[in-house]
Amino acid sequence: MSIQESDLMQKLISLCKRRGFVFQSSEIYGGLKSCYDYGPLGIELKRNIMNEWWRSMVHERENIVGLDASIIMHPQVWQSSGHLSSFSDPLVDCLLCKERFRADKAPVVEVGSEVTYTDPKNKKKELKGVAERSYVCPVCGSPELSAERNFNLMFKSFMGSVDPMSQVADKLAGKSHNAQEIREVMEEELAKSTVYLRPETAQAMFVQFNNIQQSLSLKVPFGIAQMGKSFRNEVTVEHFIFRSCEFEQMEMEFFCEPGTQAKWLDYWKEERVNWYKSYANYPEKFTLRQHDDDELAHYADNCYDIEYEYPWGWDELEGVASRTDYDLKKHSEGSGTKLTYFDQQATNPETGKPGWRYTPFVIEPAAGATRATLVYLLDAYCEEKGVDAKGKEKSRVVLKLHPRLAPIKTAVLPLVKKDGMPEIARSIVDKFYKAGVMAKYDENTSIGKRYARHDEIGTPYCLTVDKQTLEDGTITIRDRDTTEQKRISVEDALSEVQARLQ
Amino acid sequence: MSIQESDLMQKLISLCKRRGFVFQSSEIYGGLKSCYDYGPLGIELKRNIMNEWWRSMVHERENIVGLDASIIMHPQVWQSSGHLSSFSDPLVDCLLCKERFRADKAPVVEVGSEVTYTDPKNKKKELKGVAERSYVCPVCGSPELSAERNFNLMFKSFMGSVDPMSQVADKLAGKSHNAQEIREVMEEELAKSTVYLRPETAQAMFVQFNNIQQSLSLKVPFGIAQMGKSFRNEVTVEHFIFRSCEFEQMEMEFFCEPGTQAKWLDYWKEERVNWYKSYANYPEKFTLRQHDDDELAHYADNCYDIEYEYPWGWDELEGVASRTDYDLKKHSEGSGTKLTYFDQQATNPETGKPGWRYTPFVIEPAAGATRATLVYLLDAYCEEKGVDAKGKEKSRVVLKLHPRLAPIKTAVLPLVKKDGMPEIARSIVDKFYKAGVMAKYDENTSIGKRYARHDEIGTPYCLTVDKQTLEDGTITIRDRDTTEQKRISVEDALSEVQARLQ
């Protein structure tokens, strides 16, 4: 790969649109901030990644089960989890240029120092002032700033048939109020029907702990896994699908006996990083980074990030956190329902007698399905220079996706649209359908263009029906990465591809 | 089946909770109106249904591709589609008892007739009045009603870092306003950042028509399919997961040449009803019902409902609508972007010359994944009376789910937890994992109880490792529906189950 890192994102975004992987949401209406739609190829890639995760986390394990909870949960859930009070960014308005920005991401200055900045109304005019805080406006540099306001990142909505806006209007009508009073009336009325879009899939596993443990008689240690959409009203969205307001997660809460969490954290951080590496061309671009003490969330006793080397540097892909018994205890307090586990075999460490009721500790590997999609696209993108059969220089773009992640496993191509070739090609596709292997019939444009197209969308194998097929019942199988072709019999096509997919 | 229809729903809801299919959302917090969580078995069942739909609609067809659009789309989308102006229920408040209800579902009376009703504050007091409208309050019978207000069913939210509530407070502060003025200020300020949760997955296929058609060079007729969550702020929620505020859909928009829509409607209505029947024990409970002229949406030229005979009677499961070119034209007008198709081969009917640019017509099979889950649970639920080996009467509950829909395909059970039986059982499970067949190892409780549990959750096959296995390498395979067992060799277990699953 000799692509300038700075170009890679642009090239990838362009390929994603051109080939139907990812489009901007509502593009014909000018798009919507950081929302993306997954096109025909993108949805297959994302589905494959998520299916592989589900298989490795749920289907292939005895002690992990799935959950698919509603996106809108009871508002008390977010009260207990702490999201209502503390899942927020500190926002500040510049009083000069009106920019709204995150205080914790603004340029740092020394408190009390003199700063110079530009007048937004007259760019030639230089202004001077004293910094009253440790940061200034990121746009004009001004130290004249509004108070910090905590801006909660959860999307709000209203459930029920009562229109809270009418209630507010009725309460406020006919009398003068100050802004504070108005805000209080609005907050009070809106609170009655306010619900939130979940900012993570995780809380449902704690809230449904009893139902799931009891209905399946699960024994600790066990895990509950969930995949699905989450929503965050991010002020800063960046890097294509890396940080967006609507995204997809793959999270698992692993419940274990108090005291065993260090062992399980160790187990899960290795399992997860190895999972990523097993589908990658460049496993060295994945690494584990332990959180420093001052980075740790207050409820966590340890945490690792799985980081990937994106074009803009190392950044987060998954967090594997040791969350102690914080969440179950908080929901237990908030709901008045015991969320504990009784182990008949274990010895109660306090009494020394058999039988121990405890609140399980939790290890949480929290992966981003959207981010994993970006990571595997970056890992796969490749430009190759070579020479064609006539010695002419030519280059190609290849998505070297792992065959299990590739949207289409096999393209079946009749060399020409006649002489019975389409019929043979379609009968091969039929066999693949029946075996549940994603194959696509493709008869448009020249064979060379079709190979190039399938290289670009990551199809690992192309099967071509040609003149010789009519004579001896053999077809060519072409390998995406080596571009090598060999002849196999039509009968062996499915088993050949299946063997290579394993 | 000798279950009283009225009991069936209660029995099913109970089984769903007891066995981990469906729980009430946020149950420990008292639940949330009509939101449901799919437990370990429920998520597998729903995933299987959705995967089967995707396979039959996308993977096994040359001319249908997938899409996975964001749930939050540009608000203009809903302006153009008509959802902002007309996706609403007419709501009315009873001025006497304060009940809020849907005008179109209230008890019908003759306008001008005298009606008698009860005073909610004094149930013994009978009141009389004249009906000014064609309906009265469904609770107290009063004709004293508020004006009808259209209540839009879309969930609203706010995107971006501006807090619209503060803006409203600032604008209203320091002056007296009437309710109408306040409502206008609120509407104006909120509109700037208001977004909606999609009430259907369908619109994204129209909005992304150009991107998808062009990136894959698709030729009409072709289809775009999408599965995912949709949200409706329903006033009336009913029948467990049948009508809820958050639900999952499987929709496909099939674009065809103008004039061919009748033929394609006919094709799709048959395809879809046959799809449902192919997984059902009682195919006669599925039927097609053509919409009467006065039922048709204004943009549709024909429509069929696929109905199922639920315990409460025949009701909707899927709609197959012929939507004309309405949607593409509306989004074309709304966005200023041409959403048309150029067919070089076709003859333009107006000019008689080759080459025709037209707006495709659309056939939409719109299925409910949540409803399909309910339907297959109802179809499968079965209570059987029989006699055991000793001639004692016994009954069992069986979920006769189609093997392809069953959450677990095979349970592998060691007769006892010793003598190497667990090891053999686990090695069998391993083989199933590798082949991608969902198998579960289960060693808890007696073998009889395990069979009963797997009957209740619909596991079609149980493989049991017993003493004889240690001697001759054979195991028993037990069929859920017949309860018959036969011995097969350990080596044949996977291929035997795979053959039965086809």
CSV table of all heavy atoms in Angstrom, one decimal, chain A residues 307-334:
chain,number,residue,atom,x,y,z
A,307,GLU,N,-7.6,-0.2,20.4
A,307,GLU,CA,-7.4,0.9,19.4
A,307,GLU,C,-6.9,0.4,18.1
A,307,GLU,O,-6.3,-0.6,17.9
A,307,GLU,CB,-6.3,1.9,20.0
A,307,GLU,CG,-6.8,2.6,21.3
A,307,GLU,CD,-5.9,3.8,21.7
A,307,GLU,OE1,-4.7,3.8,21.3
A,307,GLU,OE2,-6.5,4.7,22.3
A,308,TYR,N,-7.3,1.3,17.1
A,308,TYR,CA,-6.9,1.0,15.7
A,308,TYR,C,-6.1,2.2,15.2
A,308,TYR,O,-6.4,3.3,15.6
A,308,TYR,CB,-8.1,0.7,14.9
A,308,TYR,CG,-7.8,0.4,13.4
A,308,TYR,CD1,-7.3,-0.8,13.0
A,308,TYR,CD2,-8.0,1.4,12.4
A,308,TYR,CE1,-7.0,-1.1,11.7
A,308,TYR,CE2,-7.8,1.1,11.1
A,308,TYR,CZ,-7.2,-0.1,10.7
A,308,TYR,OH,-6.9,-0.3,9.4
A,309,GLU,N,-5.2,1.9,14.3
A,309,GLU,CA,-4.4,3.0,13.7
A,309,GLU,C,-5.1,3.5,12.5
A,309,GLU,O,-4.9,3.1,11.4
A,309,GLU,CB,-3.0,2.5,13.3
A,309,GLU,CG,-2.1,3.7,13.1
A,309,GLU,CD,-0.6,3.3,12.7
A,309,GLU,OE1,-0.4,2.1,12.6
A,309,GLU,OE2,0.2,4.2,12.6
A,310,TYR,N,-6.0,4.5,12.7
A,310,TYR,CA,-6.8,5.1,11.7
A,310,TYR,C,-5.8,6.1,10.9
A,310,TYR,O,-4.7,6.4,11.4
A,310,TYR,CB,-7.9,5.9,12.3
A,310,TYR,CG,-9.0,5.1,13.0
A,310,TYR,CD1,-8.8,4.9,14.4
A,310,TYR,CD2,-10.1,4.6,12.4
A,310,TYR,CE1,-9.8,4.2,15.1
A,310,TYR,CE2,-11.1,3.9,13.1
A,310,TYR,CZ,-10.9,3.7,14.4
A,310,TYR,OH,-11.8,3.0,15.1
A,311,PRO,N,-6.3,6.6,9.7
A,311,PRO,CA,-5.5,7.5,9.0
A,311,PRO,C,-5.1,8.8,9.8
A,311,PRO,O,-4.1,9.4,9.6
A,311,PRO,CB,-6.3,7.9,7.8
A,311,PRO,CG,-7.2,6.7,7.6
A,311,PRO,CD,-7.5,6.2,9.0
A,312,TRP,N,-5.9,9.1,10.8
A,312,TRP,CA,-5.6,10.3,11.7
A,312,TRP,C,-4.9,9.9,13.0
A,312,TRP,O,-4.7,10.7,13.8
A,312,TRP,CB,-6.9,11.1,12.0
A,312,TRP,CG,-7.9,10.3,12.8
A,312,TRP,CD1,-8.0,10.2,14.1
A,312,TRP,CD2,-9.0,9.5,12.3
A,312,TRP,NE1,-9.1,9.3,14.5
A,312,TRP,CE2,-9.7,8.9,13.3
A,312,TRP,CE3,-9.4,9.1,11.0
A,312,TRP,CZ2,-10.8,8.0,13.2
A,312,TRP,CZ3,-10.5,8.3,10.8
A,312,TRP,CH2,-11.2,7.8,11.9
A,313,GLY,N,-4.5,8.6,13.1
A,313,GLY,CA,-3.8,8.2,14.2
A,313,GLY,C,-4.5,7.1,15.0
A,313,GLY,O,-5.6,6.7,14.6
A,314,TRP,N,-3.9,6.7,16.1
A,314,TRP,CA,-4.5,5.7,17.0
A,314,TRP,C,-5.7,6.2,17.6
A,314,TRP,O,-5.7,7.3,18.2
A,314,TRP,CB,-3.5,5.2,18.0
A,314,TRP,CG,-2.4,4.4,17.5
A,314,TRP,CD1,-1.2,4.8,17.1
A,314,TRP,CD2,-2.4,3.0,17.2
A,314,TRP,NE1,-0.4,3.8,16.6
A,314,TRP,CE2,-1.1,2.6,16.7
A,314,TRP,CE3,-3.3,1.9,17.3
A,314,TRP,CZ2,-0.8,1.3,16.3
A,314,TRP,CZ3,-3.0,0.7,17.0
A,314,TRP,CH2,-1.7,0.4,16.4
A,315,ASP,N,-6.8,5.5,17.6
A,315,ASP,CA,-8.1,6.0,18.2
A,315,ASP,C,-8.9,4.8,18.6
A,315,ASP,O,-8.7,3.6,18.2
A,315,ASP,CB,-8.8,6.9,17.2
A,315,ASP,CG,-9.6,8.0,17.9
A,315,ASP,OD1,-10.0,7.8,19.1
A,315,ASP,OD2,-9.9,9.0,17.3
A,316,GLU,N,-10.0,5.1,19.3
A,316,GLU,CA,-10.8,4.0,19.9
A,316,GLU,C,-11.6,3.2,18.9
A,316,GLU,O,-12.2,3.7,18.0
A,316,GLU,CB,-11.7,4.6,21.0
A,316,GLU,CG,-12.3,3.5,21.9
A,316,GLU,CD,-13.4,4.0,22.8
A,316,GLU,OE1,-13.5,5.2,23.0
A,316,GLU,OE2,-14.2,3.2,23.3
A,317,LEU,N,-11.7,1.9,19.2
A,317,LEU,CA,-12.5,1.0,18.4
A,317,LEU,C,-13.5,0.2,19.3
A,317,LEU,O,-14.7,0.1,19.1
A,317,LEU,CB,-11.7,0.0,17.6
A,317,LEU,CG,-12.4,-1.2,16.9
A,317,LEU,CD1,-13.4,-0.7,15.9
A,317,LEU,CD2,-11.3,-2.1,16.2
A,318,GLU,N,-13.0,-0.2,20.5
A,318,GLU,CA,-13.8,-0.9,21.5
A,318,GLU,C,-13.2,-0.6,22.9
A,318,GLU,O,-12.0,-0.5,23.0
A,318,GLU,CB,-13.8,-2.4,21.2
A,318,GLU,CG,-14.4,-3.3,22.3
A,318,GLU,CD,-14.7,-4.7,21.8
A,318,GLU,OE1,-14.8,-5.0,20.6
A,318,GLU,OE2,-14.9,-5.6,22.7
A,319,GLY,N,-14.1,-0.6,23.8
A,319,GLY,CA,-13.7,-0.5,25.2
A,319,GLY,C,-14.0,-1.8,26.0
A,319,GLY,O,-15.1,-2.4,25.8
A,320,VAL,N,-13.0,-2.3,26.7
A,320,VAL,CA,-13.3,-3.5,27.6
A,320,VAL,C,-13.1,-3.1,29.0
A,320,VAL,O,-12.0,-2.9,29.5
A,320,VAL,CB,-12.4,-4.7,27.2
A,320,VAL,CG1,-12.8,-5.9,27.9
A,320,VAL,CG2,-12.4,-4.9,25.7
A,321,ALA,N,-14.3,-2.9,29.7
A,321,ALA,CA,-14.2,-2.2,31.0
A,321,ALA,C,-14.6,-3.2,32.1
A,321,ALA,O,-15.5,-4.1,31.9
A,321,ALA,CB,-15.2,-1.0,31.0
A,322,SER,N,-14.0,-3.0,33.3
A,322,SER,CA,-14.4,-3.8,34.5
A,322,SER,C,-15.2,-2.8,35.3
A,322,SER,O,-14.7,-1.9,35.9
A,322,SER,CB,-13.1,-4.2,35.2
A,322,SER,OG,-13.4,-4.8,36.4
A,323,ARG,N,-16.5,-3.0,35.2
A,323,ARG,CA,-17.5,-2.0,35.8
A,323,ARG,C,-17.9,-2.3,37.2
A,323,ARG,O,-18.8,-1.7,37.7
A,323,ARG,CB,-18.7,-2.0,34.9
A,323,ARG,CG,-18.4,-1.6,33.4
A,323,ARG,CD,-19.7,-1.6,32.6
A,323,ARG,NE,-20.7,-0.6,33.0
A,323,ARG,CZ,-20.9,0.6,32.4
A,323,ARG,NH1,-20.2,0.8,31.3
A,323,ARG,NH2,-21.7,1.4,32.8
A,324,THR,N,-17.2,-3.2,37.9
A,324,THR,CA,-17.6,-3.6,39.2
A,324,THR,C,-19.1,-4.0,39.3
A,324,THR,O,-19.6,-4.5,38.4
A,324,THR,CB,-17.2,-2.5,40.3
A,324,THR,OG1,-18.1,-1.4,40.1
A,324,THR,CG2,-15.8,-2.0,40.1
A,325,ASP,N,-19.7,-3.8,40.5
A,325,ASP,CA,-21.1,-4.1,40.7
A,325,ASP,C,-21.9,-2.8,40.6
A,325,ASP,O,-23.1,-2.8,41.0
A,325,ASP,CB,-21.3,-4.8,42.0
A,325,ASP,CG,-20.8,-4.1,43.2
A,325,ASP,OD1,-20.2,-3.0,43.0
A,325,ASP,OD2,-20.8,-4.6,44.3
A,326,TYR,N,-21.3,-1.8,40.1
A,326,TYR,CA,-22.0,-0.4,40.1
A,326,TYR,C,-23.4,-0.4,39.4
A,326,TYR,O,-24.3,0.0,40.0
A,326,TYR,CB,-21.0,0.6,39.3
A,326,TYR,CG,-21.6,1.9,39.2
A,326,TYR,CD1,-21.5,2.9,40.2
A,326,TYR,CD2,-22.3,2.3,38.0
A,326,TYR,CE1,-22.0,4.1,40.1
A,326,TYR,CE2,-22.8,3.6,37.9
A,326,TYR,CZ,-22.7,4.5,38.9
A,326,TYR,OH,-23.2,5.8,38.8
A,327,ASP,N,-23.5,-0.9,38.2
A,327,ASP,CA,-24.7,-0.8,37.4
A,327,ASP,C,-25.9,-1.6,38.1
A,327,ASP,O,-27.0,-1.1,38.2
A,327,ASP,CB,-24.5,-1.3,36.0
A,327,ASP,CG,-23.3,-0.6,35.3
A,327,ASP,OD1,-23.5,0.5,34.8
A,327,ASP,OD2,-22.2,-1.2,35.4
A,328,LEU,N,-25.6,-2.9,38.4
A,328,LEU,CA,-26.7,-3.6,39.1
A,328,LEU,C,-27.1,-3.0,40.4
A,328,LEU,O,-28.3,-2.9,40.7
A,328,LEU,CB,-26.2,-5.1,39.3
A,328,LEU,CG,-26.1,-6.0,38.1
A,328,LEU,CD1,-25.5,-7.3,38.4
A,328,LEU,CD2,-27.5,-6.2,37.4
A,329,LYS,N,-26.2,-2.5,41.1
A,329,LYS,CA,-26.6,-1.8,42.4
A,329,LYS,C,-27.4,-0.6,42.2
A,329,LYS,O,-28.3,-0.3,42.9
A,329,LYS,CB,-25.3,-1.5,43.2
A,329,LYS,CG,-24.7,-2.8,43.9
A,329,LYS,CD,-23.8,-2.4,45.1
A,329,LYS,CE,-23.6,-3.7,45.9
A,329,LYS,NZ,-22.3,-3.7,46.6
A,330,LYS,N,-27.0,0.2,41.2
A,330,LYS,CA,-27.7,1.5,40.9
A,330,LYS,C,-29.1,1.2,40.5
A,330,LYS,O,-30.1,1.8,40.9
A,330,LYS,CB,-27.0,2.3,39.8
A,330,LYS,CG,-25.8,3.0,40.3
A,330,LYS,CD,-26.3,4.2,41.1
A,330,LYS,CE,-25.2,4.9,41.9
A,330,LYS,NZ,-25.7,5.9,42.9
A,331,HIS,N,-29.3,0.2,39.6
A,331,HIS,CA,-30.7,-0.2,39.1
A,331,HIS,C,-31.5,-0.8,40.2
A,331,HIS,O,-32.7,-0.7,40.3
A,331,HIS,CB,-30.6,-1.0,37.9
A,331,HIS,CG,-30.3,-0.3,36.7
A,331,HIS,ND1,-31.0,0.7,36.1
A,331,HIS,CD2,-29.2,-0.3,35.9
A,331,HIS,CE1,-30.5,1.3,35.1
A,331,HIS,NE2,-29.3,0.7,34.9
A,332,SER,N,-30.8,-1.5,41.1
A,332,SER,CA,-31.5,-2.1,42.3
A,332,SER,C,-32.0,-1.0,43.2
A,332,SER,O,-33.2,-1.0,43.6
A,332,SER,CB,-30.5,-3.0,43.0
A,332,SER,OG,-31.1,-3.8,43.9
A,333,GLU,N,-31.2,-0.1,43.5
A,333,GLU,CA,-31.6,1.1,44.3
A,333,GLU,C,-32.7,1.9,43.6
A,333,GLU,O,-33.8,2.2,44.2
A,333,GLU,CB,-30.5,2.1,44.5
A,333,GLU,CG,-29.4,1.7,45.5
A,333,GLU,CD,-28.2,2.6,45.4
A,333,GLU,OE1,-28.3,3.7,45.0
A,333,GLU,OE2,-27.1,2.1,45.7
A,334,GLY,N,-32.6,2.1,42.3
A,334,GLY,CA,-33.5,2.9,41.6
A,334,GLY,C,-34.9,2.3,41.4
A,334,GLY,O,-35.9,3.0,41.4
